[in-house]
């Protein structure tokens, strides 16, 4: 099969590999699309170095193919699989989505939402799942601010917070303003022309460049700060120290500081499917790249200029 092949951190090329064989509880997918996010770039480069020590491979990547977000058609069942049949259209996560075929555990797959393309479905799992999990507990009428609202996770967070009945303020740079408004934000702050001010019940931070103290000052006394991620840290920890500081600070303050670690699970993807089919969530796919240009797709995401999501289609 054709695939983007990655034997070492920091180097990959378009090549050929054997088609993988599904094991217990796994299916073989004919991949139709692979989602691209900052995580894809992190796993390609092995940076921050911390991630090499949390299960992704110390000397080199465990998976010879990048890409986790996937959508496709089930073509073969591994032993013990009863949840899906050959021919089912699914989406979820796997190891090695930048290929014509990939093996995925059924514990990380759900049926593709009716009425969506494979590209849209592949753009959903990690970014959509992160937004969903980070906004649990939001109630109607609460004031929610989404920082990085025009990016992959943020564009879903705006929509999900709106579907929960919150009053949503999206914060982004100029070229993302129209997108964030179109996703349903009640207010959009272009931080390049105006200061981001106000008081919020929840701040959902996908940008990562504001200090904890600055954000705490913009929270109600019992408000919640969800730390999704940051690209502002160094090559070693990648800004993880901000999450560590939040854990310690949590012991002493009335506000809730939540370093988010998303779970990739079938039930989360099932919730996304329901939201999409109800018309409450759509995947804002800015651009599709062919598999042979998968590395360009990752670089494009790294540029941080993407409006919403980028997908590789096969
Ligand atoms: N915790 C988890 O489990 C989890 C899951 C998924 C992703 N993440 C992390 O969450 C972060 C956001 O992911 P994403 O996929 O949404 O990324 P993305 O598509 O690049 O979006 C991030 C947005 O934040 C803003 N931004 C980027 N760098 C910034 C900087 N240095 N200072 C200020 N704003 C900046 C950009 O918007 P503007 O141009 O408008 O500033 C960008 O649209 C990444 O660090 C990612 O690794 C964490």
């Amino acid at each position: 099969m054709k695939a983007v092949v990655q034997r070492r951190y920091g180097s990959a090329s378009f090549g050929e590999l054997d088609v993988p064989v599904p094991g217990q509880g796994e299916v073989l997918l004919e991949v139709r699309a692979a989602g691209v996010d900052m995580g894809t770039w992190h796993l390609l480069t092995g940076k921050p170095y911390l991630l090499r020590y949390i299960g992704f491979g110390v000397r080199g990547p465990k998976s010879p193919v990048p890409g986790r977000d996937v959508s496709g058609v089930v073509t073969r069942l591994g032993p013990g699989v009863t949840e899906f049949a050959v021919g089912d259209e699914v989406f979820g996560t796997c190891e090695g989505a930048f290929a014509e075929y990939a093996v995925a555990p059924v514990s990380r797959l759900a049926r593709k939402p009716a009425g969506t393309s494979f590209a849209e479905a592949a753009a959903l799992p990690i970014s959509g799942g992160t937004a969903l999990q980070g906004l649990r507990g939001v109630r109607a009428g609460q004031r929610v601010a989404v920082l990085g609202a025009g990016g992959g996770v943020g564009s879903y967070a705006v929509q999900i917070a709106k579907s929960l009945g919150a009053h949503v303020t999206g914060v982004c740079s100029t070229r993302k303003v129209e997108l964030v408004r179109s996703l349903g934000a009640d207010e959009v702050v272009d931080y390049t022309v105006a200061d981001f001010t106000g008081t919020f019940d929840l701040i959902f931070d996908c940008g990562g460049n504001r200090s904890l103290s600055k954000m705490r000052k913009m929270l109600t006394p019992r408000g919640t700060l969800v730390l999704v991620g940051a690209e502002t840290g160094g090559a070693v920890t990648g800004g993880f120290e901000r999450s560590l500081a939040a854990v310690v600070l949590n012991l002493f303050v009335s506000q809730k500081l939540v370093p988010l670690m998303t779970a990739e699970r079938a039930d989360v993807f099932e919730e996304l499917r329901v939201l999409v089919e109800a018309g409450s969530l759509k995947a804002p796919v800015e651009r599709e790249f062919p598999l042979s240009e998968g590395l360009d797709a990752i670089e494009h995401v790294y540029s941080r200029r993407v409006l919403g999501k980028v997908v590789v289609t096969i």
Side-chain angles (χ1 to χ4, degrees):
M1 65 176 186
K2 293 197 168 27
V4 174
V5 185
Q6 179 193 14
R7 299 283 182 201
R8 295 184 285 124
Y9 286 123
S11 143
S13 56
F14 187 53
E16 300 227 345
L17 282 177
D18 290 339
V19 173
V21 177
Q24 184 79 27
E26 296 176 333
V27 296
L28 180 68
L29 297 179
E30 186 184 293
V31 178
R32 294 296 177 81
V36 191
D37 65 4
M38 278 309 298
T40 322
W41 182 86
H42 290 302
L43 292 177
L44 182 71
T45 57
K47 291 178 188 166
Y49 295 110
L50 180 67
L51 74 81
R52 304 184 187 201
Y53 296 92
I54 58 169
F56 292 101
V58 176
R59 289 169 173 273
K62 274 191 183 165
S63 170
V65 179
R68 295 176 72 79
D69 277 335
V70 72
S71 68
V73 180
V74 175
T75 58
R76 191 171 158 189
L77 306 181
V81 172
T82 54
E83 294 86 342
F84 298 106
V86 169
D88 283 351
E89 298 182 345
V90 296
F91 78 113
T93 62
C94 67
E95 315 298 326
F98 280 34
E100 290 177 312
Y101 293 90
V103 155
V106 294
S107 60
R108 288 198 259 141
L109 289 178
R111 275 171 219 290
K112 183 169 80 69
T116 56
S117 65
F118 282 103
E120 289 167 325
L124 281 166
I126 294 178
S127 298
T130 303
L132 193 64
Q133 292 168 80
L135 292 168
R136 290 220 194 278
V138 168
R139 295 188 307 277
Q142 287 192 317
R143 297 184 71 85
V144 170
V146 179
L147 314 187
V153 180
S155 59
Y156 290 116
V158 168
Q159 298 178 73
I160 292 171
K162 273 309 291 174
S163 76
L164 294 169
H167 182 277
V168 180
T169 300
V171 183
C172 60
S173 56
T174 310
R175 59 190 302 276
K176 296 173 186 169
V177 166
E178 273 319 305
L179 170 71
V180 176
R181 194 166 283 135
S182 75
L183 296 172
D186 299 287
E187 290 170 49
V188 184
V189 178
D190 176 351
Y191 66 80
T192 67
V193 296
D195 271 353
F196 162 53
T197 54
T199 305
F200 301 92
D201 298 292
L202 186 140
I203 298 179
F204 188 87
D205 181 19
C206 308
N209 66 332
R210 288 175 179 80
S211 69
L212 292 180
S213 63
K214 198 167 181 184
M215 288 190 288
R216 280 190 52 227
K217 282 184 189 140
M218 299 179 71
L219 280 178
T220 58
R222 301 224 158 254
T224 302
L225 170 62
V226 180
L227 297 166
V228 181
E231 300 301 326
T232 46
V236 178
T237 62
F240 186 65
E241 52 277 15
R242 213 167 65 121
S243 294
L244 279 183
V247 170
V248 175
L249 205 56
N250 245 328
L251 303 171
F252 305 101
V253 298
S254 62
Q255 296 153 330
K256 212 163 116 191
L257 313 178
V258 184
L260 188 65
M261 184 52 79
T262 193
E264 299 170 26
R265 288 197 319 259
D267 62 304
V268 173
F269 304 148
E270 195 58 35
E271 279 185 74
L272 292 174
R273 183 183 69 76
V274 170
L275 282 170
V276 171
E277 290 184 352
S280 305
L281 189 66
K282 65 173 183 171
V285 177
E286 179 215 76
R287 188 164 162 194
E288 298 179 26
F289 287 75
L291 179 59
S292 57
E293 293 170 20
L295 293 172
D296 297 332
I298 298 173
E299 276 308 312
H300 184 49
V301 167
Y302 185 65
S303 75
R304 295 175 197 160
R305 292 178 55 79
V306 175
L307 297 164
K309 293 292 299 178
V310 163
V311 167
V312 166
T313 47
I314 292 124

